[in-house]
Amino acid sequence: MTRETTLQPSSFSAEQRYRKFLEFLPDPVFVFNLDNTVSYLNPAFEKVFGWSLSELEGKIIPFVPESAKEETKAGLARLYNEKIVSGVETQRLTRDGRLLDIIIDGAIFYDDNNEPAGQVVILRDVTKEKRVTRINQALFRIANSLYQFRRLDERLEFIIKEVQELLAVKGASVILLDEEKQEFFFPVANYEDSRTGKRLKEIRFPADKGVAGHVYRTGKPLIVPDTSQNPYFFPVVDLQSGYQTMNMLDVPIKTPDRMIGVLCAVNKKKGEFDQTDVEFLSAIASAVAFPIENARINQELKDSYEEVQTLSRAKDRVIHHLSHELKTPVSVLSASLGLLEKNLSSRNNPGIQRILDRAQRNLSRILSMQYQIQDILRQRDYRAHNMLSTLLDSCIDELESLADLECGHGLASKKIRERIDELFGSKESVPQELELEIFTLNVIEDLKPKYSHRRLELKCNLVKTQPVFIPPDVLYKIIEGLLRNSIENTPDSGVIEINVRRLSSGSELEVRDYGIGITAENQKLIFESNLTASEPLHYATRKPYDFNAGGKGFDLLRMKIFSERYHFSIQMRSSRCIYIPGIEDLCPGEIERCSHCKTLNDCMASGGTTMTVGFI
């Protein structure tokens, strides 16, 4: 049977033999007539480009892209002139619109009369080869360049620019996972519209949403040819960024033990994402997973170290500050008691002498505590016995004091109970409905005598708002604290603005000063402890409302506690005066004495602090 079907040379014409040969070639081949219409296509052509011979016979193949038409005309002219061409690199379209990289070899063939009868052209699809080459070059370039970028954002910026260029997409981003909050965020996003990239950096979305969420759950890449038809697409990100995503490709960024994020490319400029794109983006993701993780860990360690340093400095400043606050009044009291004792020494009154001795003894204990604080700064140790003894002595002295105050029998225990209730009893404030604008105005008027010695302009814009539900004494302390802090941080001839606004969801109190401002370091801690905004060694505890008056630094900490108890919000925005950027730098306290500010506007533009309290 095999012998009967064996092809014999004499059984076929030359054309038939050539056709059988061309059918087995793996590369696309087509034969043109002299008018450039198709006379033959081999099966490989149909497989690569999608057209069959029955569709194109006698027609011109519509696969020359607009950008290559002039080049193609020149190539045909060269073919007729040289009779043969080889190794011509160009591009051709497939039936479904994909653009392929092609190498063309062509020749003129002749009829029996040695006249040109047409052209035979072989096309070799090198799209995948070129992509593999670009991938290898990109991976090599990334591997050799990543070490140059120490910061995580710089490293990610470099990576996505490579992705954007090699995949020919309009946008690319790295989406990392915040494991604590289970949210995705965009540390870096690069788009042709730079505004989109900036907006994306401010967006977070749940880790179980979107294409990224699906890739995170499955650990597998996902191509989305049309976002409007995909059930996983999360349109909220587009709404917030103001960008329209038409198609996208997400691949996981994984280390051996966990997934850390997703590498995303959106809106392919030509054609659709295919498996080659998946392989390329996956290769990039694999190559950069460890560098990204290492950079992020290094950044977290650096941030933690800076935070520890900040906390350490804050701790030292707080202890210094408390030591200062203890030492100054105790010294004054000690001297005053000394004078009082000297003036009363002529009177032979054991009761008065006992009172003076007890007062002096307790002042000595406070001084001892101040010395203990200094020992802490010098990392000295002290025993708990001293503290317990102090507590016991305190009880004895309190009992003696009350007994001396009351001459009658049986009244001491009553006074002790009253004293305990006064000092340690529950004093829960009762919330009330208050008119915020009226209450604020009353507090300002009430406090005017306390800051009347300062040369400041208070600009008030108090709009009628919805009543706020809060204890009056708490609201008074809030307004007083904010106003006092603003006054004490604003130099003379400066301006303070007090605004009460009506919001759609409640009311808002804003106190804004144009004073020295707070350093970025202190802003992180200002609500968390009795931290003061100024260097303790740079002020003396002056009269309240004086410029840089000092104080104990508990106001904002107390307000923070109030906010949690009575359900209002408190926020701060501050910029340190550009002329005294460090906490150790000093302001002269008067705009007229400042060597940098010639006018009030100069001072107002240099720094300041805005405190905002929101009531729902």
Side-chain angles (χ1 to χ4, degrees):
M1 183 71 177
T2 304
R3 289 176 183 173
E4 293 177 359
T5 57
T6 299
L7 297 176
Q8 299 296 327
S10 58
S11 303
F12 297 93
S13 66
E15 181 181 347
Q16 289 176 316
R17 288 198 298 271
Y18 285 135
R19 284 179 179 268
K20 287 294 182 182
F21 172 72
L22 294 176
E23 287 177 1
F24 289 98
L25 285 180
D27 292 325
V29 177
F30 63 87
V31 179
F32 280 176
N33 298 314
L34 291 177
D35 60 359
N36 296 327
T37 58
V38 173
S39 64
Y40 173 77
L41 301 174
N42 73 340
F45 186 96
E46 182 177 352
K47 181 179 179 181
V48 172
F49 290 96
W51 287 287
S52 64
L53 178 59
S54 61
E55 293 174 299
L56 294 180
E57 190 170 11
K59 301 176 182 179
I60 296 176
I61 306 176
F63 69 164
V64 180
E66 194 67 33
S67 59
K69 286 187 176 180
E70 293 299 323
E71 172 190 274
T72 301
K73 290 179 181 178
L76 287 172
R78 177 186 168 194
L79 177 61
Y80 280 109
N81 182 49
E82 300 179 5
K83 312 304 181 186
I84 187 170
V85 294
S86 61
V88 177
E89 292 190 22
T90 186
Q91 291 182 317
R92 290 293 184 266
L93 292 168
T94 63
R95 184 175 184 176
D96 57 5
R98 290 178 295 114
L99 192 64
L100 302 182
D101 293 310
I102 299 294
I103 293 180
I104 295 179
D105 296 311
I108 300 295
F109 66 90
Y110 299 86
D111 59 16
D112 295 338
N113 298 321
N114 204 28
E115 293 292 333
Q119 315 151 31
V120 58
V121 179
I122 301 175
L123 303 98
R124 184 158 60 92
D125 181 9
V126 294
T127 306
K128 289 186 177 180
E129 293 179 26
K130 294 186 73 171
R131 282 192 179 182
V132 169
T133 300
R134 288 200 301 269
I135 290 172
N136 291 336
Q137 290 174 346
L139 292 175
F140 180 79
R141 188 164 54 251
I142 290 172
N144 281 338
S145 302
L146 278 181
Y147 75 93
Q148 301 175 12
F149 306 100
R150 303 298 297 272
R151 291 172 48 195
L152 177 60
D153 56 347
E154 293 177 343
R155 188 168 291 186
L156 297 180
E157 187 78 33
F158 169 74
I159 291 168
I160 62 172
K161 283 182 178 178
E162 289 286 339
V163 169
Q164 193 174 13
E165 180 180 349
L166 290 164
L167 287 188
V169 293
K170 294 184 178 180
S173 60
V174 173
I175 308 174
L176 295 184
L177 177 67
D178 184 337
E179 294 182 344
E180 182 178 349
K181 297 181 179 180
Q182 281 298 295
E183 291 180 338
F184 283 125
F185 64 100
F186 298 82
V188 172
N190 198 50
Y191 281 66
E192 288 184 339
D193 180 4
S194 59
R195 293 173 297 180
T196 299
K198 291 179 181 178
R199 286 192 289 263
L200 281 172
K201 293 178 184 179
E202 301 173 358
I203 295 174
R204 284 176 169 257
F205 63 98
D208 59 349
K209 298 292 185 182
V211 177
H214 178 75
V215 171
Y216 179 72
R217 289 191 300 273
T218 62
K220 298 179 180 179
L222 181 63
I223 295 176
V224 180
D226 184 353
T227 56
S228 64
Q229 303 298 319
N230 189 274
Y232 304 116
F233 182 68
F234 190 55
V236 173
V237 176
D238 271 12
L239 290 174
Q240 293 180 359
S241 65
Y243 187 79
Q244 186 175 6
T245 303
M246 308 300 295
N247 51 68
M248 61 192 303
L249 165 62
D250 280 10
V251 301
I253 303 175
K254 295 187 290 188
T255 61
D257 57 335
R258 65 192 182 97
M259 185 183 299
I260 62 175
V262 173
L263 191 56
C264 176
V266 302
N267 290 0
K268 196 169 179 66
K269 294 179 180 178
K270 296 180 181 179
E272 297 180 349
F273 291 107
D274 56 23
Q275 190 58 35
T276 304
D277 296 324
V278 173
E279 293 170 359
F280 167 68
L281 205 57
S282 297
I284 294 291
S286 298
V288 302
F290 274 119
I292 288 176
E293 186 71 347
N294 290 340
R296 184 162 70 166
I297 291 173
N298 287 337
Q299 188 66 42
E300 291 174 352
L301 289 174
K302 182 180 178 181
D303 292 343
S304 298
Y305 178 70
E306 290 177 352
E307 184 176 354
V308 168
Q309 285 186 314
T310 300
L311 289 171
S312 179
R313 288 193 295 270
K315 177 261 297 179
D316 289 343
R317 287 179 50 217
V318 166
I319 296 175
H320 273 298
H321 181 66
L322 292 177
S323 175
H324 172 85
E325 287 295 326
L326 284 171
K327 186 175 182 179
T328 302
V330 168
S331 298
V332 173
L333 284 174
S334 181
S336 300
L337 279 174
L339 291 172
L340 184 60
E341 185 175 9
K342 183 178 180 180
N343 292 332
L344 295 176
S345 60
S346 59
R347 302 181 184 181
N348 188 14
N349 189 327
I352 292 177
Q353 188 60 47
R354 189 169 63 251
I355 292 172
L356 291 173
D357 290 343
R358 186 164 57 246
Q360 193 65 54
R361 186 170 64 250
N362 281 278
L363 280 173
S364 298
R365 282 160 48 198
I366 296 175
L367 281 172
S368 176
M369 183 170 62
Q370 192 265 335
Y371 296 144
Q372 287 175 344
I373 292 174
Q374 291 181 342
D375 286 342
I376 293 173
L377 291 177
R378 291 191 291 266
Q379 298 182 341
R380 294 181 183 173
D381 190 19
Y382 63 95
R383 300 180 180 276
H385 174 269
N386 293 335
M387 179 181 66
L388 296 175
S389 298
T390 301
L391 291 173
L392 180 59
D393 290 342
S394 179
C395 294
I396 293 172
D397 288 335
E398 187 69 23
L399 290 171
E400 290 179 356
S401 299
L402 293 171
D404 286 338
L405 288 172
E406 299 297 330
C407 299
H409 295 288
L411 296 177
S413 61
K414 180 180 178 182
K415 283 294 181 182
I416 291 172
R417 174 59 57 194
E418 291 175 354
R419 186 68 168 171
I420 291 174
D421 290 343
E422 178 185 350
L423 294 177
F424 307 107
S426 175
K427 299 178 182 178
E428 188 65 30
S429 301
V430 179
Q432 301 177 21
E433 279 196 354
L434 303 172
E435 301 292 337
L436 181 59
E437 71 285 355
I438 297 175
F439 194 95
T440 301
L441 181 61
N442 291 337
V443 175
I444 295 172
E445 292 297 324
D446 188 48
L447 296 176
K448 269 186 178 180
K450 297 184 178 181
Y451 60 84
S452 59
H453 61 290
R454 295 294 308 281
R455 292 184 293 109
L456 296 170
E457 181 183 1
L458 263 67
K459 295 182 177 180
C460 298
N461 181 23
L462 310 179
V463 178
K464 184 173 179 58
T465 66
Q466 298 176 359
V468 297
F469 193 67
I470 191 171
D473 60 316
V474 171
L475 184 56
Y476 190 99
K477 291 172 184 176
I478 293 169
I479 299 172
E480 179 187 25
L482 294 179
L483 183 58
R484 186 175 65 252
N485 284 340
S486 291
I487 291 175
E488 291 177 353
N489 286 282
T490 302
D492 278 347
S493 301
V495 173
I496 295 173
E497 297 176 356
I498 303 174
N499 301 302
V500 171
R501 303 187 183 96
R502 181 184 182 94
L503 304 179
S504 59
S505 58
S507 306
E508 180 181 87
L509 167 66
E510 178 186 85
V511 179
R512 180 178 185 181
D513 67 68
Y514 297 90
I516 59 177
I518 303 171
T519 63
E521 177 180 291
N522 281 345
Q523 288 182 46
K524 300 176 183 178
L525 303 171
I526 199 75
F527 285 108
E528 306 302 328
S529 65
N530 59 330
L531 177 70
T532 57
S534 301
E535 183 65 42
L537 296 179
H538 287 176
Y539 65 78
T541 305
R542 304 183 180 94
K543 181 181 177 181
Y545 296 94
D546 281 356
F547 177 72
N548 210 17
K552 298 174 181 60
F554 287 106
D555 282 331
L556 292 178
L557 176 60
R558 181 171 64 175
M559 291 181 202
K560 186 67 173 177
I561 295 172
F562 282 156
S563 72
E564 295 171 356
R565 184 179 302 168
Y566 297 107
H567 310 293
F568 61 85
S569 64
I570 181 166
Q571 296 178 334
M572 177 185 68
R573 301 190 308 276
S574 185
S575 57
R576 180 71 172 181
C577 176
I578 58 177
Y579 304 117
I580 50 171
I583 190 173
E584 69 282 355
D585 298 322
L586 294 176
C587 172
E590 297 179 29
I591 295 178
E592 295 84 352
R593 293 170 52 200
C594 179
S595 59
H596 304 285
C597 299
K598 305 302 181 184
T599 65
L600 171 61
N601 289 336
D602 292 339
C603 182
M604 293 178 67
S606 65
T609 301
T610 301
M611 301 295 300
T612 306
V613 182
F615 301 93
I616 300 176

